[in-house]
Amino acid sequence: MSEHPPIDTFVPHSARVWNYWLGGKDNYPVDQEAGEAFLKVFPGMAQGARASRAFLGRTVRYLAREVGIRGFLDIGTGLPTADNTHEVAQVFAPDSRIVYVDNDPLVLAHARALMRGTEQGATEYLHADLREPERILESAAGTLDLDRPVALMLMGILGHVADHDEARDLVRRLMDPLPSGSFLTINDGTNVHSAANVEAHEQYNQSGGTPYVQRSPEEIAAFFEGLELVEPGVVSVTRWRYEENGFGVPPEVDGYGGVARKP
């Protein structure tokens, strides 16, 4: 990791824009401008980003505490913020082992921050692209025991693969080599609750950054084909095993996700 690829500060990057929406500091003026332009069209995006992060926390807690998963492969991790996968998992299982994967040079620059975990467990970072599933699995095997069930985390990353069949193939190539009892967790943007959200995405996709394709809940559900969905299935991320707080059912957002077990 000594040779960092160049960071393009003149074109917005989705990971940095996402970091801006979450209140992070690891972004550049071009990302802030793109993020603000998006929010002018669809102000609810910042809330959606936080709902997505909360979904990650709930799913990792479920997998580490209730299921007993000890290996996590988090592809498209993005920039480190609060409640990263290893921070959540190692609270409940200090011996958890996590491999983060991303292709953003700025994430690579922050890899050391990502790798601060417990002494009992392990955290590692791999600079690679989602479209390299075989390379990812081969490298991850240096940290994760891939003969034991692991959790594959694909959070907000599949929308960057425009072709739906290609995206499904990538998921299959990642899941097929994993043992029975492994889990797949997906969260991605949908296009069903807000026309403003769809318009904002269309404008962002013309900004020069890597395009992001919103899908229907049914298309997201198709990524889980052949797996056993955990209740409540594929739902808006705010409604996946949400925590009761006396304010009723949380409102839906344009981000759907689910967790499923490989038989």
Side-chain angles (χ1 to χ4, degrees):
M1 290 187 296
S2 59
E3 295 184 3
H4 291 189
I7 297 172
D8 189 344
T9 61
F10 298 99
V11 176
H13 192 287
S14 59
R16 302 194 307 252
V17 174
W18 194 260
N19 176 266
Y20 176 69
W21 287 332
L22 289 173
K25 305 297 182 183
D26 299 310
N27 47 74
Y28 296 97
V30 66
D31 308 304
Q32 297 163 18
E33 292 170 8
E36 283 299 320
F38 197 107
L39 293 176
K40 284 182 181 179
V41 179
F42 180 56
M45 191 62 215
Q47 176 189 1
R50 296 183 181 111
S52 174
R53 197 67 180 181
F55 172 79
L56 181 147
R58 294 196 305 277
T59 56
V60 173
R61 282 197 297 273
Y62 165 76
L63 292 165
R65 182 172 57 184
E66 298 185 36
V67 178
I69 293 294
R70 294 295 178 264
F72 293 82
L73 179 56
D74 186 339
I75 303 178
T77 179
L79 290 156
T81 55
D83 297 330
N84 298 294
T85 297
H86 75 281
E87 293 171 323
V88 178
Q90 291 177 349
V91 165
F92 302 101
D95 59 334
S96 295
R97 306 177 74 84
I98 294 89
V99 172
Y100 291 109
V101 182
D102 207 293
N103 68 350
D104 180 7
L106 192 58
V107 179
L108 173 61
H110 285 267
R112 287 186 179 179
L114 278 172
M115 292 189 290
R116 291 175 184 167
T118 60
E119 293 183 3
Q120 304 97 310
T123 57
E124 187 57 77
Y125 176 79
L126 173 62
H127 190 75
D129 192 277
L130 171 66
R131 291 178 172 85
E132 306 173 286
E134 288 77 22
R135 180 195 165 206
I136 289 173
L137 291 172
E138 181 180 0
S139 299
T143 301
L144 305 178
D145 182 356
L146 298 185
D147 291 327
R148 299 178 59 189
V150 300
L152 172 63
M153 315 286 293
L154 299 172
M155 311 297 270
I157 184 66
L158 292 171
H160 290 301
V161 183
D163 184 89
H164 187 55
D165 290 336
E166 180 187 2
R168 291 184 65 180
D169 181 63
L170 290 170
V171 174
R172 178 190 60 77
R173 287 160 62 191
L174 286 163
M175 284 300 297
D176 279 358
L178 300 182
S180 173
S182 293
F183 282 80
L184 172 64
T185 301
I186 290 176
N187 158 31
D188 254 304
T190 52
N191 54 9
V192 294
H193 293 298
S194 171
N197 186 19
V198 174
E199 179 184 350
H201 270 88
E202 290 175 349
Q203 290 187 12
Y204 173 80
N205 288 345
Q206 297 172 6
S207 69
T210 303
Y212 185 91
V213 177
Q214 295 174 294
R215 292 191 163 96
S216 68
E218 293 76 17
E219 287 174 318
I220 293 177
F223 292 128
F224 296 100
E225 184 177 352
L227 306 177
E228 301 168 347
L229 276 166
V230 173
E231 291 293 334
V234 177
V235 295
S236 177
V237 293
T238 53
R239 296 192 175 182
W240 195 91
R241 301 198 171 205
Y242 62 91
E243 298 165 355
E244 300 284 352
N245 56 17
F247 293 101
V249 179
E252 293 184 298
V253 297
D254 254 326
Y256 274 59
V259 178
R261 180 184 181 276
K262 182 176 180 178

